[in-house]
Amino acid sequence: MDRRHFILLGTAGSVAVLTGCGGSGGGVATPPTGTTPPPASPPVSNPPPATPVSPLTVGQPLTDLVRLANTSTTPNEFAATLVARRASKVMLPGTSTEFWTYNSMVPGPLIDVFEGDTVRIRMENQLSQETTVHWHGLPVPPAQDGNPMDPIASGASRTYEFTLPVGSAGTYWYHPHPHEFTAEQVFRGMAGLLIVRSRTDPVPTAIEEKLLVISDLRLAADGTIPANTTMDWQAGREGNYVLVNGQYQPVLTINPGQSQRWRILNATNARYLRLALTGHTMTLIGTDGGLLRSPVPGLDEILLAPAERVEVIVTASLPSPASAVLQSLPYDRGIGMMGASTTTISLLALNHSTAATTAVALPTALNSIADLGAPTKAKRLVFSWGTGMGGMSGDMMSFLIDGKSFDPARIDLTSRVNEVEQWTIDNRSSMDHPFHLHGTQFQVVSRTRSGVTATEPYLAWRDTVNVAAFETLVFNVVQHHLGKRMYHCHILEHESTGMMGVLDVVA
Ligand code: C2O
Ligand code: CU
Ligand code: CU
């Protein structure tokens, strides 16, 4: 059996394996009560965690991402080299962990460019298997987008080149996208942030920017990164450590009253991040493809599905609490006993320094997002669980789009370039799936759950959106380049086992 494939545990067609078997939705770990006398010593400010103390180092100052240096001296041009290679780092004391990396870094180096720039990146593949670099969310031509049909063989290299149009400012990322190996290359460490900046960014520069790349790491006791289990291929892999910029529970210092602009990327294979900052609300200012029309203040939490990005403004409350924690709250994504995120986890501690800072006001108008307008074509995609026709699925159970498993030689959908289409994504499975479409940004119109339709409250540019279990989601979209585009679930185990299709954009 190909290692990508898996057999459904239990009886054939037993969807119940994937539905909630209890144990999900809540369940924040609490210390035992009633049997222990109160401690003799005064309580410490940080209560001991309910889970065993981690062997990974916690509490280090958050490191900034390492910027990929521009080797071009020509204005409006960015040139650099990325090398895919193995690199080792000590994570668990006394062991060494081998990652698969870009330029020996986890996460990969930050690519920081401007609208209008021409980007030329040479990719050298020193891995022992093929790879590609996919520019997730960027409006680049298909031939430059690292599709699985365009692999870079082990030992080979190629140069990607594209020009970033005005209006593309936003928070993107890059990761491998080879046929069948995407999930493994990403969980072994290959992913990096890519920011496209506008020369007329409306957010005041006095608001300091922080970049948070959230990734998931599973370590065995010997420090190695284990292969996926059958369960991982079904539910999507979650690790035992959630890292921010490659660090475990680091500390970010902020002045009381200070505002910071956080760009957050969910670079995990399958973990849903229900982000909340204790004692604080957050102001949403941007999504995947750039800023909103105006800030959305007062949010207690933000759900960030795998591959999604947000820009938020965080203002340190004054004078207390003296510290806060960025957490991911429990979220039931429909995997029940297969190992759902049922506990609250700490991602990052926020420490207030002593120097107070006056808050900087945000402009009320951030971006002029034009409504895409009335669609002239409609498409409908159905997510299901079953035995797919075509592709390599054979008689294996897996997640399907329109009853099919991915086949790189097949065209599943056709669109006309520059034509506004309305896509309906109908999730008829009991698990959430983050839907992603390459090459463009779309505008969500509505979401229907249990017969109740909610119209999207504001316009936002997205390339990835969660489609909850049994939800139907509608968005409008335009493709601006000719050629083949991928669309898929961004739980990378699902993508790599065939929950993906090919859209051909034609004249
Ligand atoms: Cu981020 Cu097709 O992927
Ligand atoms: Cu993508
Ligand atoms: Cu999925």
Side-chain angles (χ1 to χ4, degrees), residues 461-475:
W461 289 122
R462 300 179 191 277
D463 55 60
T464 309
V465 67
N466 188 45
V467 189
F470 302 114
E471 183 176 56
T472 301
L473 184 140
V474 177
F475 62 78

Side-chain angles (χ1 to χ4, degrees), residues 6-18 229-235 337-338 385 397:
F6 50 79
I7 301 163
L8 177 69
L9 299 177
T11 49
S14 170
V15 178
V17 169
L18 296 171
T229 63
T230 302
M231 207 72 105
D232 293 329
W233 288 116
Q234 294 181 358
M337 278 164 35
M338 292 171 73
W385 166 252
M397 293 288 284

Side-chain angles (χ1 to χ4, degrees), residues 95-115:
T95 70
S96 172
T97 300
E98 183 190 85
F99 291 92
W100 298 0
T101 73
Y102 290 112
N103 297 7
S104 304
M105 292 173 213
V106 178
L110 166 68
I111 300 178
D112 202 343
V113 291
F114 280 92
E115 289 177 346

